[in-house]
Amino acid sequence: VIWIIIFGVLIVLFGFVVVFGAPYVPSHRRDVRKLFDYLKLGAEDLLVDAGSGDGRVLREAGKRSARAIGYEINPILVIISRLASHKYPRVSTEFANFWHIQLPKSTTIVYIFSTRKDRRKLISKMQRETDRLGRPLKLACYGNPLGERKPDKALGAYTLYTFHPLHPVKAQV
Ligand SMILES: C[S@@+](CC[C@H](N)C(=O)[O-])C[C@H]1O[C@@H](n2cnc3c(N)ncnc32)[C@H](O)[C@@H]1O
């Protein structure tokens, strides 16, 4: 009976996330490295992984001395990510729904394993946050690109975008 309960809890934790975003499928490290080489990711960057899974993207950023914050809605993956990343002082994982957080002030790039269904939501979220921060933000989509929006570049499995402030909201920064 205990195994049925454990199995049930795991199914619920890993299954229910599709309501909020992408299910758990990790990025290929090779792809992540290629992206970070292209971006010349370094100590002056703060990368946000929107749905950070086991934290592998965060750790690749950490290896390049970048600051990296992951937001993850599955508590089991939050624990795994925190344990696996403990050697990286500039990496952290928050138990949170990405759609409800405000990006940290010094964010330079948002990484997301993007789904087709959340395209519009992602565009509005990025635009809102760019307006709030009052400066450009980069977005790297792994998988599904943002439809009609014009990318800066397609790089293997990634499509890269830059959002520019359209309606800056000074008071909320
Ligand atoms: C496709 S996996 C990608 C994991 C990691 N970014 C990587 O590339 O290896 C997507 C992750 O996002 C999490 N997730 C889905 N919706 C979310 C949301 N609204 N807020 C935070 N995490 C979410 C899932 O639990 C899953 O671990």
Side-chain angles (χ1 to χ4, degrees), residues 17 20-27 49 51-53 56-57 71-74 77 96-99 111 113:
V17 295
F20 302 98
Y24 177 56
V25 184
S27 297
D49 187 355
S52 49
R56 63 181 56 193
V57 176
Y71 296 98
E72 175 53 57
I73 209 165
N74 180 332
L77 289 171
N97 183 339
F98 170 71
W99 303 118
Y111 182 104
F113 201 127

Side-chain angles (χ1 to χ4, degrees), residues 104-123:
K105 215 166 154 184
S106 44
T107 304
T108 53
I109 177 151
V110 177
Y111 182 104
I112 191 164
F113 201 127
S114 45
T115 61
R116 214 183 138 80
K117 87 171 165 57
D118 288 333
R119 268 179 190 173
R120 289 190 181 287
K121 209 168 158 183
L122 180 58
I123 293 173

Side-chain angles (χ1 to χ4, degrees), residues 36-94:
F36 289 176
D37 283 347
Y38 173 79
L39 294 171
K40 297 189 171 56
L41 196 86
E44 64 294 339
D45 284 297
L46 194 174
L47 174 135
V48 163
D49 187 355
S52 49
D54 67 1
R56 63 181 56 193
V57 176
L58 306 176
R59 288 188 291 283
E60 285 303 323
K63 282 178 197 164
R64 290 161 197 250
S65 310
R67 214 180 135 210
I69 302 179
Y71 296 98
E72 175 53 57
I73 209 165
N74 180 332
I76 294 183
L77 289 171
V78 172
I79 293 169
I80 293 173
S81 176
R82 284 182 183 165
L83 290 174
S85 309
H86 77 278
K87 284 191 186 142
Y88 298 87
R90 304 197 79 204
V91 166
S92 59
T93 313
E94 306 290 326

